[in-house]
Amino acid sequence: MSGKKVHFTYPGKTIDVTWDSRLCIHVAECGRAAGELFVDGRDPWCQPDVTKVAQVREIVERCPSGALSYVDKTGGPVEMPAVDNTVVVACNGPLFFRGNLHIEGLVKRSPGVRFRAALCRCGASKNKPFCDNSHEAVGFKDYGAVGETGSPQVAGDGELRIMPTHNGPLVCKGHLRIYTAAGRAAWFGSTVALCRCGASKNKPFCDGSHVAAGFRSD
């Protein structure tokens, strides 16, 4: 995407909203929000001044990919991590992380990915480790069930380090809850390797299938 603009800032009198097109997977949490902060087909599509500052912050923080972020020029609250570090295993889709996230080894990204990120688990994304909706084109199928329970400890706060290993899984270190696509809190623990090649027989966990599948992380 060299030379192509990827960051777009929509200034308001009291709050600015920024959109990182590299991270957006068009879940439409913003576009379907009540009100006129985001209106498809309008130029510009985001107009912060038509919505109260608190509502702007709340809608932006709904974005599950971290593509949206804001700067509150009133000196109001800044975005804070969710109380728990969590990941939702989406049906036929990515891993949706929320919490105090540190995704290791990345160039500077949108500030939103410190709190919210959609990471690829089909193996086909051209923007690894982030999802780019390639799971739809390749017909990735996994309904987001989780069979293991992990340790009995309840996940808590603190930083979650997410390490996309070379040609291998996402290694997560730090308290974490894994939720099924149906919303069940299924796994609790502090260290886990999650599949991102799409081939594991024990999804969402890595079982070493990336080796036989010839998965490439670059």
Side-chain angles (χ1 to χ4, degrees), residues 31-70:
R32 293 190 183 182
E36 297 187 349
L37 176 60
F38 294 94
V39 175
D40 190 34
R42 184 182 63 189
D43 186 18
W45 74 300
C46 177
Q47 294 184 6
D49 287 339
V50 303
T51 305
K52 293 181 179 179
V53 171
Q55 188 177 6
V56 173
R57 292 196 303 263
E58 192 273 329
I59 292 172
V60 166
E61 290 179 18
R62 295 180 192 179
C63 174
S65 68
L68 291 174
S69 57
Y70 61 81

Side-chain angles (χ1 to χ4, degrees), residues 192-214:
V192 66
L194 300 177
C195 174
R196 64 175 180 140
C197 73
S200 174
K201 304 296 189 298
N202 188 32
K203 296 180 184 69
F205 307 103
C206 174
D207 67 356
S209 293
H210 53 273
V211 178

Side-chain angles (χ1 to χ4, degrees), residues 138-160:
V138 301
F140 175 70
K141 294 292 183 183
D142 181 73
Y143 296 119
V146 179
E148 299 182 22
T149 59
S151 69
Q153 68 183 17
V154 176
D157 58 7
E159 184 178 77
L160 178 68

